[in-house]
PDB file of all heavy atoms in Angstrom:
ATOM      1  N   ARG A 555      -3.818  87.793  21.534  1.00 97.00           N
ATOM      2  CA  ARG A 555      -3.206  87.525  22.692  1.00 97.00           C
ATOM      3  C   ARG A 555      -1.975  86.536  22.562  1.00 97.00           C
ATOM      4  O   ARG A 555      -2.312  85.427  21.895  1.00 97.00           O
ATOM      5  CB  ARG A 555      -4.122  87.101  23.839  1.00 97.00           C
ATOM      6  CG  ARG A 555      -3.613  86.983  25.171  1.00 97.00           C
ATOM      7  CD  ARG A 555      -4.382  85.894  26.071  1.00 97.00           C
ATOM      8  NE  ARG A 555      -3.875  84.540  25.890  1.00 97.00           N
ATOM      9  CZ  ARG A 555      -4.578  83.428  25.519  1.00 97.00           C
ATOM     10  NH1 ARG A 555      -5.857  83.581  25.467  1.00 97.00           N
ATOM     11  NH2 ARG A 555      -4.041  82.254  25.361  1.00 97.00           N
ATOM     12  N   VAL A 556      -0.868  86.843  23.046  1.00 98.00           N
ATOM     13  CA  VAL A 556       0.111  85.857  22.992  1.00 98.00           C
ATOM     14  C   VAL A 556       0.725  85.392  24.246  1.00 98.00           C
ATOM     15  O   VAL A 556       0.894  86.255  25.240  1.00 98.00           O
ATOM     16  CB  VAL A 556       1.379  86.476  22.213  1.00 98.00           C
ATOM     17  CG1 VAL A 556       2.589  85.577  22.109  1.00 98.00           C
ATOM     18  CG2 VAL A 556       0.904  86.709  20.718  1.00 98.00           C
ATOM     19  N   ASP A 557       0.827  84.103  24.524  1.00 98.00           N
ATOM     20  CA  ASP A 557       1.329  83.518  25.715  1.00 98.00           C
ATOM     21  C   ASP A 557       2.819  83.450  25.648  1.00 98.00           C
ATOM     22  O   ASP A 557       3.463  83.666  26.773  1.00 98.00           O
ATOM     23  CB  ASP A 557       0.683  82.208  26.180  1.00 98.00           C
ATOM     24  CG  ASP A 557      -0.786  82.323  26.214  1.00 98.00           C
ATOM     25  OD1 ASP A 557      -1.119  82.938  27.144  1.00 98.00           O
ATOM     26  OD2 ASP A 557      -1.527  81.943  25.310  1.00 98.00           O
ATOM     27  N   ASP A 558       3.320  82.923  24.560  1.00 98.00           N
ATOM     28  CA  ASP A 558       4.835  82.686  24.725  1.00 98.00           C
ATOM     29  C   ASP A 558       5.423  82.885  23.228  1.00 98.00           C
ATOM     30  O   ASP A 558       4.672  82.696  22.279  1.00 98.00           O
ATOM     31  CB  ASP A 558       5.265  81.257  25.189  1.00 98.00           C
ATOM     32  CG  ASP A 558       4.547  80.161  24.474  1.00 98.00           C
ATOM     33  OD1 ASP A 558       3.277  80.047  24.512  1.00 98.00           O
ATOM     34  OD2 ASP A 558       5.211  79.398  23.832  1.00 98.00           O
ATOM     35  N   ILE A 559       6.660  83.357  23.160  1.00 99.00           N
ATOM     36  CA  ILE A 559       7.463  83.576  22.048  1.00 99.00           C
ATOM     37  C   ILE A 559       8.637  82.638  22.053  1.00 99.00           C
ATOM     38  O   ILE A 559       9.335  82.683  23.181  1.00 99.00           O
ATOM     39  CB  ILE A 559       7.882  84.999  21.756  1.00 99.00           C
ATOM     40  CG1 ILE A 559       6.617  85.817  21.558  1.00 99.00           C
ATOM     41  CG2 ILE A 559       8.750  85.042  20.521  1.00 99.00           C
ATOM     42  CD1 ILE A 559       6.907  87.299  21.598  1.00 99.00           C
ATOM     43  N   ILE A 560       8.807  81.819  21.046  1.00 99.00           N
ATOM     44  CA  ILE A 560       9.865  80.802  21.228  1.00 99.00           C
ATOM     45  C   ILE A 560      10.880  81.163  20.060  1.00 99.00           C
ATOM     46  O   ILE A 560      10.638  81.333  18.870  1.00 99.00           O
ATOM     47  CB  ILE A 560       9.402  79.359  20.805  1.00 99.00           C
ATOM     48  CG1 ILE A 560       8.163  79.003  21.895  1.00 99.00           C
ATOM     49  CG2 ILE A 560      10.450  78.249  20.845  1.00 99.00           C
ATOM     50  CD1 ILE A 560       7.346  77.895  21.462  1.00 99.00           C
ATOM     51  N   PHE A 561      12.237  81.044  20.542  1.00 98.00           N
ATOM     52  CA  PHE A 561      13.318  81.029  19.635  1.00 98.00           C
ATOM     53  C   PHE A 561      14.046  79.612  19.551  1.00 98.00           C
ATOM     54  O   PHE A 561      14.313  79.039  20.650  1.00 98.00           O
ATOM     55  CB  PHE A 561      14.436  82.034  20.135  1.00 98.00           C
ATOM     56  CG  PHE A 561      13.922  83.484  19.893  1.00 98.00           C
ATOM     57  CD1 PHE A 561      13.366  84.107  21.002  1.00 98.00           C
ATOM     58  CD2 PHE A 561      14.191  84.083  18.740  1.00 98.00           C
ATOM     59  CE1 PHE A 561      12.969  85.429  20.858  1.00 98.00           C
ATOM     60  CE2 PHE A 561      13.795  85.431  18.460  1.00 98.00           C
ATOM     61  CZ  PHE A 561      13.082  86.093  19.541  1.00 98.00           C
ATOM     62  N   THR A 562      14.277  79.168  18.246  1.00 98.00           N
ATOM     63  CA  THR A 562      14.978  77.913  18.216  1.00 98.00           C
ATOM     64  C   THR A 562      15.763  77.807  17.029  1.00 98.00           C
ATOM     65  O   THR A 562      15.790  78.668  16.190  1.00 98.00           O
ATOM     66  CB  THR A 562      13.818  76.654  18.129  1.00 98.00           C
ATOM     67  OG1 THR A 562      14.432  75.422  18.149  1.00 98.00           O
ATOM     68  CG2 THR A 562      13.081  76.751  16.845  1.00 98.00           C
ATOM     69  N   ALA A 563      16.591  76.715  16.904  1.00 97.00           N
ATOM     70  CA  ALA A 563      17.614  76.368  15.772  1.00 97.00           C
ATOM     71  C   ALA A 563      18.812  77.276  16.017  1.00 97.00           C
ATOM     72  O   ALA A 563      18.894  78.074  16.997  1.00 97.00           O
ATOM     73  CB  ALA A 563      17.017  76.532  14.418  1.00 97.00           C
ATOM     74  N   GLY A 564      19.819  77.003  15.116  1.00 96.00           N
ATOM     75  CA  GLY A 564      21.267  77.520  15.407  1.00 96.00           C
ATOM     76  C   GLY A 564      21.309  78.853  15.820  1.00 96.00           C
ATOM     77  O   GLY A 564      21.937  79.167  16.819  1.00 96.00           O
ATOM     78  N   VAL A 565      20.612  79.894  15.147  1.00 98.00           N
ATOM     79  CA  VAL A 565      20.792  81.209  15.518  1.00 98.00           C
ATOM     80  C   VAL A 565      19.859  81.545  16.693  1.00 98.00           C
ATOM     81  O   VAL A 565      20.245  82.303  17.616  1.00 98.00           O
ATOM     82  CB  VAL A 565      20.363  82.097  14.330  1.00 98.00           C
ATOM     83  CG1 VAL A 565      20.395  83.678  14.638  1.00 98.00           C
ATOM     84  CG2 VAL A 565      21.260  81.865  13.108  1.00 98.00           C
ATOM     85  N   GLY A 566      18.624  80.988  16.639  1.00 98.00           N
ATOM     86  CA  GLY A 566      17.656  81.268  17.699  1.00 98.00           C
ATOM     87  C   GLY A 566      18.051  80.848  19.013  1.00 98.00           C
ATOM     88  O   GLY A 566      17.868  81.507  20.121  1.00 98.00           O
ATOM     89  N   GLU A 567      18.789  79.686  19.019  1.00 98.00           N
ATOM     90  CA  GLU A 567      19.212  79.070  20.342  1.00 98.00           C
ATOM     91  C   GLU A 567      20.575  79.758  20.730  1.00 98.00           C
ATOM     92  O   GLU A 567      20.853  79.635  21.986  1.00 98.00           O
ATOM     93  CB  GLU A 567      19.496  77.551  20.133  1.00 98.00           C
ATOM     94  CG  GLU A 567      18.198  76.800  19.870  1.00 98.00           C
ATOM     95  CD  GLU A 567      18.499  75.372  19.546  1.00 98.00           C
ATOM     96  OE1 GLU A 567      19.416  74.751  19.889  1.00 98.00           O
ATOM     97  OE2 GLU A 567      17.603  74.811  18.814  1.00 98.00           O
ATOM     98  N   ASN A 568      21.326  80.320  19.853  1.00 97.00           N
ATOM     99  CA  ASN A 568      22.603  80.761  20.173  1.00 97.00           C
ATOM    100  C   ASN A 568      22.954  82.231  20.110  1.00 97.00           C
ATOM    101  O   ASN A 568      24.089  82.575  20.504  1.00 97.00           O
ATOM    102  CB  ASN A 568      23.637  79.911  19.368  1.00 97.00           C
ATOM    103  CG  ASN A 568      23.591  78.434  19.676  1.00 97.00           C
ATOM    104  OD1 ASN A 568      23.901  78.052  20.862  1.00 97.00           O
ATOM    105  ND2 ASN A 568      23.252  77.722  18.757  1.00 97.00           N
ATOM    106  N   SER A 569      22.040  82.999  19.631  1.00 98.00           N
ATOM    107  CA  SER A 569      22.416  84.301  19.448  1.00 98.00           C
ATOM    108  C   SER A 569      21.558  85.266  20.371  1.00 98.00           C
ATOM    109  O   SER A 569      20.473  85.671  19.986  1.00 98.00           O
ATOM    110  CB  SER A 569      22.354  84.816  17.999  1.00 98.00           C
ATOM    111  OG  SER A 569      22.380  86.117  17.885  1.00 98.00           O
ATOM    112  N   PRO A 570      22.191  85.694  21.534  1.00 98.00           N
ATOM    113  CA  PRO A 570      21.497  86.572  22.403  1.00 98.00           C
ATOM    114  C   PRO A 570      21.131  87.914  21.730  1.00 98.00           C
ATOM    115  O   PRO A 570      20.056  88.445  21.943  1.00 98.00           O
ATOM    116  CB  PRO A 570      22.341  86.841  23.594  1.00 98.00           C
ATOM    117  CG  PRO A 570      23.328  85.710  23.510  1.00 98.00           C
ATOM    118  CD  PRO A 570      23.503  85.310  22.149  1.00 98.00           C
ATOM    119  N   ALA A 571      22.025  88.380  20.858  1.00 98.00           N
ATOM    120  CA  ALA A 571      21.814  89.640  20.145  1.00 98.00           C
ATOM    121  C   ALA A 571      20.553  89.629  19.214  1.00 98.00           C
ATOM    122  O   ALA A 571      19.807  90.643  19.372  1.00 98.00           O
ATOM    123  CB  ALA A 571      23.007  89.945  19.289  1.00 98.00           C
ATOM    124  N   VAL A 572      20.375  88.501  18.548  1.00 98.00           N
ATOM    125  CA  VAL A 572      19.204  88.520  17.650  1.00 98.00           C
ATOM    126  C   VAL A 572      17.983  88.528  18.517  1.00 98.00           C
ATOM    127  O   VAL A 572      17.034  89.264  18.151  1.00 98.00           O
ATOM    128  CB  VAL A 572      19.317  87.245  16.732  1.00 98.00           C
ATOM    129  CG1 VAL A 572      17.958  86.924  16.220  1.00 98.00           C
ATOM    130  CG2 VAL A 572      20.377  87.398  15.715  1.00 98.00           C
ATOM    131  N   ARG A 573      17.893  87.767  19.597  1.00 98.00           N
ATOM    132  CA  ARG A 573      16.689  87.732  20.446  1.00 98.00           C
ATOM    133  C   ARG A 573      16.316  88.985  21.004  1.00 98.00           C
ATOM    134  O   ARG A 573      15.199  89.488  21.094  1.00 98.00           O
ATOM    135  CB  ARG A 573      16.997  86.592  21.510  1.00 98.00           C
ATOM    136  CG  ARG A 573      17.121  85.258  21.099  1.00 98.00           C
ATOM    137  CD  ARG A 573      17.046  84.169  22.045  1.00 98.00           C
ATOM    138  NE  ARG A 573      18.088  84.273  23.063  1.00 98.00           N
ATOM    139  CZ  ARG A 573      19.110  83.486  23.106  1.00 98.00           C
ATOM    140  NH1 ARG A 573      19.304  82.565  22.275  1.00 98.00           N
ATOM    141  NH2 ARG A 573      20.057  83.740  24.146  1.00 98.00           N
ATOM    142  N   ALA A 574      17.491  89.695  21.524  1.00 98.00           N
ATOM    143  CA  ALA A 574      17.256  91.019  22.174  1.00 98.00           C
ATOM    144  C   ALA A 574      16.752  92.005  21.150  1.00 98.00           C
ATOM    145  O   ALA A 574      15.763  92.795  21.316  1.00 98.00           O
ATOM    146  CB  ALA A 574      18.508  91.401  22.806  1.00 98.00           C
ATOM    147  N   ASP A 575      17.397  92.095  19.943  1.00 98.00           N
ATOM    148  CA  ASP A 575      17.095  93.127  18.939  1.00 98.00           C
ATOM    149  C   ASP A 575      15.723  92.758  18.303  1.00 98.00           C
ATOM    150  O   ASP A 575      14.924  93.704  17.982  1.00 98.00           O
ATOM    151  CB  ASP A 575      18.205  93.038  17.895  1.00 98.00           C
ATOM    152  CG  ASP A 575      19.406  93.698  18.380  1.00 98.00           C
ATOM    153  OD1 ASP A 575      19.433  94.494  19.363  1.00 98.00           O
ATOM    154  OD2 ASP A 575      20.495  93.299  17.766  1.00 98.00           O
ATOM    155  N   ALA A 576      15.384  91.609  18.163  1.00 98.00           N
ATOM    156  CA  ALA A 576      14.046  91.175  17.602  1.00 98.00           C
ATOM    157  C   ALA A 576      12.844  91.553  18.531  1.00 98.00           C
ATOM    158  O   ALA A 576      11.858  92.084  18.026  1.00 98.00           O
ATOM    159  CB  ALA A 576      13.880  89.668  17.477  1.00 98.00           C
ATOM    160  N   LEU A 577      13.108  91.726  19.886  1.00 98.00           N
ATOM    161  CA  LEU A 577      12.032  91.926  20.725  1.00 98.00           C
ATOM    162  C   LEU A 577      12.195  93.315  21.384  1.00 98.00           C
ATOM    163  O   LEU A 577      11.479  93.770  22.344  1.00 98.00           O
ATOM    164  CB  LEU A 577      11.939  90.874  21.791  1.00 98.00           C
ATOM    165  CG  LEU A 577      11.717  89.465  21.281  1.00 98.00           C
ATOM    166  CD1 LEU A 577      11.486  88.524  22.413  1.00 98.00           C
ATOM    167  CD2 LEU A 577      10.489  89.442  20.308  1.00 98.00           C
ATOM    168  N   ALA A 578      13.290  94.126  20.957  1.00 98.00           N
ATOM    169  CA  ALA A 578      13.612  95.419  21.629  1.00 98.00           C
ATOM    170  C   ALA A 578      12.409  96.423  21.661  1.00 98.00           C
ATOM    171  O   ALA A 578      11.646  96.489  20.670  1.00 98.00           O
ATOM    172  CB  ALA A 578      14.848  96.007  21.005  1.00 98.00           C
ATOM    173  N   GLY A 579      12.187  97.085  22.698  1.00 98.00           N
ATOM    174  CA  GLY A 579      11.252  98.126  22.835  1.00 98.00           C
ATOM    175  C   GLY A 579       9.746  97.838  22.780  1.00 98.00           C
ATOM    176  O   GLY A 579       8.867  98.523  22.476  1.00 98.00           O
ATOM    177  N   LEU A 580       9.505  96.537  23.216  1.00 98.00           N
ATOM    178  CA  LEU A 580       7.992  96.186  23.222  1.00 98.00           C
ATOM    179  C   LEU A 580       7.444  95.864  24.530  1.00 98.00           C
ATOM    180  O   LEU A 580       6.401  95.180  24.649  1.00 98.00           O
ATOM    181  CB  LEU A 580       8.000  94.871  22.276  1.00 98.00           C
ATOM    182  CG  LEU A 580       8.512  94.993  20.791  1.00 98.00           C
ATOM    183  CD1 LEU A 580       8.467  93.571  20.186  1.00 98.00           C
ATOM    184  CD2 LEU A 580       7.700  96.026  20.043  1.00 98.00           C
ATOM    185  N   GLN A 581       8.138  96.522  25.536  1.00 97.00           N
ATOM    186  CA  GLN A 581       7.528  96.290  26.906  1.00 97.00           C
ATOM    187  C   GLN A 581       6.093  96.732  26.992  1.00 97.00           C
ATOM    188  O   GLN A 581       5.353  96.131  27.783  1.00 97.00           O
ATOM    189  CB  GLN A 581       8.425  97.101  27.882  1.00 97.00           C
ATOM    190  CG  GLN A 581       9.816  96.591  28.105  1.00 97.00           C
ATOM    191  CD  GLN A 581      10.744  97.040  27.029  1.00 97.00           C
ATOM    192  OE1 GLN A 581      10.412  97.777  26.082  1.00 97.00           O
ATOM    193  NE2 GLN A 581      12.006  96.593  27.182  1.00 97.00           N
ATOM    194  N   ALA A 582       5.693  97.715  26.216  1.00 97.00           N
ATOM    195  CA  ALA A 582       4.266  98.180  26.432  1.00 97.00           C
ATOM    196  C   ALA A 582       3.321  97.063  25.864  1.00 97.00           C
ATOM    197  O   ALA A 582       2.142  97.070  26.267  1.00 97.00           O
ATOM    198  CB  ALA A 582       4.059  99.464  25.411  1.00 97.00           C
ATOM    199  N   LEU A 583       3.900  96.134  25.139  1.00 97.00           N
ATOM    200  CA  LEU A 583       3.012  94.938  24.693  1.00 97.00           C
ATOM    201  C   LEU A 583       3.134  93.722  25.602  1.00 97.00           C
ATOM    202  O   LEU A 583       2.681  92.643  25.303  1.00 97.00           O
ATOM    203  CB  LEU A 583       3.494  94.561  23.182  1.00 97.00           C
ATOM    204  CG  LEU A 583       3.167  95.688  22.177  1.00 97.00           C
ATOM    205  CD1 LEU A 583       3.691  95.200  20.740  1.00 97.00           C
ATOM    206  CD2 LEU A 583       1.642  95.969  22.009  1.00 97.00           C
ATOM    207  N   GLY A 584       3.924  94.001  26.678  1.00 98.00           N
ATOM    208  CA  GLY A 584       4.017  92.828  27.645  1.00 98.00           C
ATOM    209  C   GLY A 584       5.222  91.931  27.258  1.00 98.00           C
ATOM    210  O   GLY A 584       5.404  90.847  27.769  1.00 98.00           O
ATOM    211  N   ILE A 585       6.076  92.404  26.259  1.00 98.00           N
ATOM    212  CA  ILE A 585       7.149  91.567  25.760  1.00 98.00           C
ATOM    213  C   ILE A 585       8.493  92.126  26.235  1.00 98.00           C
ATOM    214  O   ILE A 585       8.778  93.291  25.952  1.00 98.00           O
ATOM    215  CB  ILE A 585       7.187  91.609  24.174  1.00 98.00           C
ATOM    216  CG1 ILE A 585       5.825  90.923  23.738  1.00 98.00           C
ATOM    217  CG2 ILE A 585       8.337  90.780  23.636  1.00 98.00           C
ATOM    218  CD1 ILE A 585       5.695  90.895  22.062  1.00 98.00           C
TER     219      ILE A 585
END
Side-chain angles (χ1 to χ4, degrees):
R555 186 207 84 228
V556 173
D557 297 288
D558 56 297
I559 297 173
I560 298 165
F561 288 93
T562 191
V565 177
E567 292 170 31
N568 293 299
S569 176
V572 165
R573 297 190 296 256
D575 291 336
L577 304 185
L580 301 178
Q581 288 81 359
L583 299 175
I585 299 171

